[in-house]
Structures are given as structure tokens and as C-alpha cells.
Short mmCIF file of all heavy atoms in Angstrom, two decimals:
data_model
loop_
_atom_site.label_atom_id
_atom_site.label_comp_id
_atom_site.label_asym_id
_atom_site.label_seq_id
_atom_site.Cartn_x
_atom_site.Cartn_y
_atom_site.Cartn_z
N LEU A 16 9.95 79.59 7.73
CA LEU A 16 10.55 80.16 6.52
C LEU A 16 9.75 80.06 5.26
O LEU A 16 9.84 80.77 4.34
CB LEU A 16 11.99 79.54 6.26
CG LEU A 16 13.11 79.70 7.40
CD1 LEU A 16 14.30 79.06 6.97
CD2 LEU A 16 13.32 81.25 7.50
N ASN A 17 8.94 78.98 5.23
CA ASN A 17 8.17 78.55 4.00
C ASN A 17 6.75 78.67 4.10
O ASN A 17 6.05 77.93 3.46
CB ASN A 17 8.65 77.17 3.66
CG ASN A 17 10.09 77.08 3.26
OD1 ASN A 17 10.53 77.45 2.18
ND2 ASN A 17 10.98 76.57 4.19
N SER A 18 6.21 79.50 4.99
CA SER A 18 4.87 79.62 5.27
C SER A 18 4.38 81.07 5.49
O SER A 18 5.31 81.94 5.75
CB SER A 18 4.32 78.74 6.37
OG SER A 18 4.99 79.09 7.61
N GLU A 19 3.16 81.38 5.54
CA GLU A 19 2.66 82.67 5.86
C GLU A 19 1.56 82.61 6.80
O GLU A 19 1.04 81.50 7.12
CB GLU A 19 2.18 83.39 4.58
CG GLU A 19 3.28 83.64 3.57
CD GLU A 19 4.39 84.59 3.94
OE1 GLU A 19 4.06 85.38 4.91
OE2 GLU A 19 5.41 84.61 3.39
N GLY A 20 1.11 83.81 7.34
CA GLY A 20 -0.12 83.88 8.21
C GLY A 20 -0.03 83.05 9.47
O GLY A 20 1.07 83.00 10.11
N GLU A 21 -1.13 82.41 9.80
CA GLU A 21 -1.26 81.62 11.09
C GLU A 21 -0.23 80.52 11.13
O GLU A 21 0.31 80.18 12.23
CB GLU A 21 -2.67 81.09 11.22
CG GLU A 21 -3.70 82.17 11.44
CD GLU A 21 -5.05 81.62 11.77
OE1 GLU A 21 -5.23 80.37 11.82
OE2 GLU A 21 -6.00 82.41 11.83
N GLU A 22 0.04 79.81 10.03
CA GLU A 22 0.96 78.70 9.97
C GLU A 22 2.36 79.16 10.40
O GLU A 22 3.10 78.60 11.21
CB GLU A 22 1.02 78.04 8.66
CG GLU A 22 1.93 76.83 8.56
CD GLU A 22 2.00 76.15 7.27
OE1 GLU A 22 1.43 76.68 6.26
OE2 GLU A 22 2.55 75.05 7.23
N LYS A 23 2.73 80.38 9.84
CA LYS A 23 4.03 80.92 10.15
C LYS A 23 4.13 81.38 11.60
O LYS A 23 5.15 80.96 12.28
CB LYS A 23 4.30 82.20 9.22
CG LYS A 23 5.68 82.83 9.50
CD LYS A 23 5.71 84.14 8.52
CE LYS A 23 7.20 84.70 8.58
NZ LYS A 23 8.05 83.98 7.67
N GLU A 24 3.14 82.01 12.15
CA GLU A 24 3.10 82.36 13.61
C GLU A 24 3.11 81.27 14.51
O GLU A 24 3.83 81.37 15.53
CB GLU A 24 1.86 83.26 13.84
CG GLU A 24 1.77 84.62 13.12
CD GLU A 24 3.08 85.51 13.41
OE1 GLU A 24 3.48 85.52 14.67
OE2 GLU A 24 3.69 86.01 12.53
N ARG A 25 2.40 80.14 14.19
CA ARG A 25 2.42 78.97 15.04
C ARG A 25 3.80 78.41 14.99
O ARG A 25 4.35 77.88 16.08
CB ARG A 25 1.37 77.98 14.55
CG ARG A 25 1.43 76.61 15.17
CD ARG A 25 1.10 76.82 16.66
NE ARG A 25 0.80 75.49 17.30
CZ ARG A 25 0.91 75.37 18.63
NH1 ARG A 25 1.06 76.32 19.47
NH2 ARG A 25 0.78 74.13 19.19
N ALA A 26 4.40 78.25 13.85
CA ALA A 26 5.74 77.73 13.72
C ALA A 26 6.78 78.44 14.51
O ALA A 26 7.68 77.97 15.18
CB ALA A 26 6.19 77.53 12.29
N ILE A 27 6.74 79.84 14.51
CA ILE A 27 7.55 80.74 15.24
C ILE A 27 7.40 80.44 16.78
O ILE A 27 8.46 80.42 17.48
CB ILE A 27 7.33 82.21 14.84
CG1 ILE A 27 7.77 82.46 13.46
CG2 ILE A 27 7.98 83.16 15.86
CD1 ILE A 27 7.38 83.91 12.91
N GLN A 28 6.13 80.31 17.14
CA GLN A 28 5.88 80.12 18.58
C GLN A 28 6.55 78.82 19.06
O GLN A 28 7.16 78.73 20.09
CB GLN A 28 4.36 80.08 18.80
CG GLN A 28 4.02 79.80 20.23
CD GLN A 28 2.46 79.51 20.41
OE1 GLN A 28 1.66 79.90 19.59
NE2 GLN A 28 2.07 79.01 21.52
N LEU A 29 6.33 77.76 18.19
CA LEU A 29 6.97 76.43 18.63
C LEU A 29 8.40 76.41 18.65
O LEU A 29 9.09 75.81 19.42
CB LEU A 29 6.36 75.33 17.57
CG LEU A 29 4.85 75.09 17.79
CD1 LEU A 29 4.50 74.07 16.71
CD2 LEU A 29 4.55 74.40 19.10
N ALA A 30 8.93 77.13 17.67
CA ALA A 30 10.46 77.26 17.53
C ALA A 30 11.00 78.06 18.74
O ALA A 30 12.03 77.55 19.33
CB ALA A 30 10.88 77.98 16.27
N THR A 31 10.28 79.01 19.13
CA THR A 31 10.68 79.82 20.33
C THR A 31 10.68 78.99 21.56
O THR A 31 11.51 79.06 22.42
CB THR A 31 9.78 81.08 20.46
OG1 THR A 31 9.90 81.90 19.22
CG2 THR A 31 10.32 81.98 21.57
N GLU A 32 9.65 78.19 21.73
CA GLU A 32 9.48 77.30 22.88
C GLU A 32 10.64 76.32 22.84
O GLU A 32 11.11 75.96 23.97
CB GLU A 32 8.14 76.64 22.86
CG GLU A 32 6.94 77.52 23.06
CD GLU A 32 5.63 76.79 22.94
OE1 GLU A 32 5.60 75.52 22.55
OE2 GLU A 32 4.57 77.49 23.06
N ALA A 33 10.93 75.79 21.77
CA ALA A 33 12.03 74.79 21.69
C ALA A 33 13.32 75.42 22.00
O ALA A 33 14.24 74.80 22.73
CB ALA A 33 12.15 74.16 20.21
N LEU A 34 13.58 76.67 21.59
CA LEU A 34 14.79 77.29 21.90
C LEU A 34 14.94 77.62 23.41
O LEU A 34 16.04 77.54 24.03
CB LEU A 34 14.85 78.74 21.20
CG LEU A 34 16.16 79.52 21.14
CD1 LEU A 34 17.34 78.70 20.61
CD2 LEU A 34 16.07 80.79 20.36
N GLY A 35 13.78 77.78 24.04
CA GLY A 35 13.73 77.97 25.43
C GLY A 35 14.24 76.69 26.25
O GLY A 35 14.97 76.76 27.21
N HIS A 36 13.89 75.55 25.64
CA HIS A 36 14.43 74.28 26.22
C HIS A 36 15.90 74.18 26.07
O HIS A 36 16.54 73.66 26.96
CB HIS A 36 13.70 73.13 25.62
CG HIS A 36 12.26 72.98 25.89
ND1 HIS A 36 11.73 73.00 27.16
CD2 HIS A 36 11.09 72.92 25.07
CE1 HIS A 36 10.37 72.84 27.18
NE2 HIS A 36 10.05 72.83 25.87
N VAL A 37 16.43 74.57 24.89
CA VAL A 37 17.83 74.34 24.66
C VAL A 37 18.57 75.39 25.55
O VAL A 37 19.65 75.11 26.01
CB VAL A 37 18.08 74.81 23.09
CG1 VAL A 37 19.57 74.79 22.86
CG2 VAL A 37 17.40 73.68 22.22
N GLU A 38 17.88 76.57 25.77
CA GLU A 38 18.54 77.59 26.74
C GLU A 38 18.79 77.00 28.08
O GLU A 38 19.86 77.19 28.67
CB GLU A 38 17.56 78.80 26.85
CG GLU A 38 17.88 79.80 27.97
CD GLU A 38 18.87 80.78 27.57
OE1 GLU A 38 19.32 80.80 26.47
OE2 GLU A 38 19.21 81.62 28.39
N GLY A 39 17.88 76.14 28.57
CA GLY A 39 18.09 75.50 29.77
C GLY A 39 19.31 74.55 29.80
O GLY A 39 19.92 74.36 30.88
N VAL A 40 19.60 74.03 28.66
CA VAL A 40 20.65 72.99 28.55
C VAL A 40 22.07 73.66 28.57
O VAL A 40 23.04 73.16 29.26
CB VAL A 40 20.56 72.08 27.28
CG1 VAL A 40 21.76 71.16 27.13
CG2 VAL A 40 19.27 71.32 27.28
N ILE A 41 22.09 74.89 27.96
CA ILE A 41 23.36 75.52 27.83
C ILE A 41 23.69 76.43 29.05
O ILE A 41 24.85 76.82 29.32
CB ILE A 41 23.47 76.37 26.47
CG1 ILE A 41 24.89 76.84 26.26
CG2 ILE A 41 22.47 77.51 26.65
CD1 ILE A 41 25.93 75.86 26.13
N LYS A 42 22.73 76.79 29.87
CA LYS A 42 22.82 77.65 31.01
C LYS A 42 23.97 77.11 31.85
O LYS A 42 23.95 76.04 32.39
CB LYS A 42 21.57 77.70 31.78
CG LYS A 42 21.50 78.89 32.77
CD LYS A 42 20.12 78.99 33.35
CE LYS A 42 19.14 79.62 32.36
NZ LYS A 42 17.79 79.81 32.92
N GLY A 43 24.96 78.00 32.22
CA GLY A 43 25.95 77.75 33.18
C GLY A 43 27.15 77.03 32.49
O GLY A 43 28.09 76.67 33.12
N LYS A 44 27.07 76.84 31.17
CA LYS A 44 28.18 76.15 30.49
C LYS A 44 28.80 77.08 29.47
O LYS A 44 28.13 77.96 28.94
CB LYS A 44 27.68 74.93 29.76
CG LYS A 44 27.07 73.85 30.66
CD LYS A 44 26.50 72.68 29.74
CE LYS A 44 25.77 71.62 30.55
NZ LYS A 44 25.21 70.68 29.68
N ALA A 45 30.07 76.88 29.14
CA ALA A 45 30.70 77.61 28.03
C ALA A 45 30.24 77.08 26.66
O ALA A 45 29.81 77.75 25.75
CB ALA A 45 32.20 77.54 28.20
N PHE A 46 30.16 75.76 26.56
CA PHE A 46 29.69 75.10 25.38
C PHE A 46 28.82 73.87 25.75
O PHE A 46 28.85 73.42 26.90
CB PHE A 46 30.97 74.55 24.50
CG PHE A 46 31.74 75.68 23.94
CD1 PHE A 46 33.05 75.98 24.52
CD2 PHE A 46 31.41 76.34 22.80
CE1 PHE A 46 33.77 76.98 24.01
CE2 PHE A 46 32.16 77.37 22.33
CZ PHE A 46 33.42 77.70 22.98
N PHE A 47 28.07 73.33 24.77
CA PHE A 47 27.28 72.20 25.10
C PHE A 47 28.16 70.95 25.36
O PHE A 47 27.81 70.11 26.09
CB PHE A 47 26.41 71.81 23.90
CG PHE A 47 25.21 72.84 23.67
CD1 PHE A 47 25.33 73.91 22.80
CD2 PHE A 47 24.04 72.73 24.43
CE1 PHE A 47 24.27 74.86 22.57
CE2 PHE A 47 23.03 73.64 24.23
CZ PHE A 47 23.14 74.64 23.32
N GLY A 48 29.35 71.04 24.83
CA GLY A 48 30.29 69.97 25.12
C GLY A 48 31.10 70.07 26.30
O GLY A 48 32.03 69.41 26.58
N GLY A 49 30.83 71.18 27.13
CA GLY A 49 31.57 71.50 28.39
C GLY A 49 32.48 72.66 28.17
O GLY A 49 31.97 73.76 27.80
N GLU A 50 33.74 72.52 28.26
CA GLU A 50 34.67 73.61 28.13
C GLU A 50 35.09 73.75 26.67
O GLU A 50 35.74 74.75 26.34
CB GLU A 50 35.94 73.37 29.03
CG GLU A 50 35.63 73.51 30.46
CD GLU A 50 35.01 74.81 30.92
OE1 GLU A 50 35.52 75.83 30.47
OE2 GLU A 50 33.92 74.78 31.57
N GLY A 51 34.82 72.73 25.87
CA GLY A 51 35.22 72.76 24.41
C GLY A 51 34.10 72.41 23.57
O GLY A 51 33.01 71.87 24.04
N ILE A 52 34.16 72.66 22.30
CA ILE A 52 33.16 72.39 21.33
C ILE A 52 33.05 70.91 21.14
O ILE A 52 33.96 70.18 21.02
CB ILE A 52 33.45 73.05 20.00
CG1 ILE A 52 33.34 74.60 20.06
CG2 ILE A 52 32.50 72.47 18.88
CD1 ILE A 52 33.68 75.32 18.77
N GLY A 53 31.82 70.42 21.12
CA GLY A 53 31.51 69.05 20.97
C GLY A 53 30.38 68.76 19.96
O GLY A 53 29.99 69.66 19.22
N TYR A 54 29.91 67.56 19.99
CA TYR A 54 28.97 67.10 19.00
C TYR A 54 27.68 68.06 18.98
O TYR A 54 27.20 68.48 17.92
CB TYR A 54 28.47 65.70 19.37
CG TYR A 54 27.30 65.11 18.61
CD1 TYR A 54 27.51 64.54 17.34
CD2 TYR A 54 26.07 65.07 19.20
CE1 TYR A 54 26.43 63.98 16.74
CE2 TYR A 54 24.97 64.54 18.58
CZ TYR A 54 25.21 63.97 17.30
OH TYR A 54 24.10 63.39 16.68
#
């Protein structure tokens, strides 16, 4: 959000990779807390 050029692109890449890890955690669940909203 606060950069331009290569720094911005690198940050987007790293954020996308991190989101991929989070995707693996939520897969098969309604919420991260299970059936209801949690921490």
C-alpha cells in the first residue's frame, strides 16, 4: 500500500504467498474457529 515499483510487486508476491498458506488452514471449514466465529 505504501510503496511503488519493484518493492510493491515483491510485497504483493509475498502477501499472495502468505494468503495461500492461510487458504490451506481454512479449507474444509466454515470458519477458522470451526462451526462458529472464533479468535
Side-chain angles (χ1 to χ4, degrees):
L16 295 180
N17 295 283
S18 61
E19 298 293 340
E21 292 184 5
E22 184 181 8
K23 185 184 186 77
E24 292 304 315
R25 176 60 174 164
I27 291 173
Q28 179 186 346
L29 291 174
T31 304
E32 290 174 1
L34 191 58
H36 293 305
V37 176
E38 169 84 0
V40 178
I41 192 60
K42 192 173 292 184
K44 301 177 184 177
F46 295 101
F47 289 97
E50 292 304 312
I52 289 177
Y54 172 82

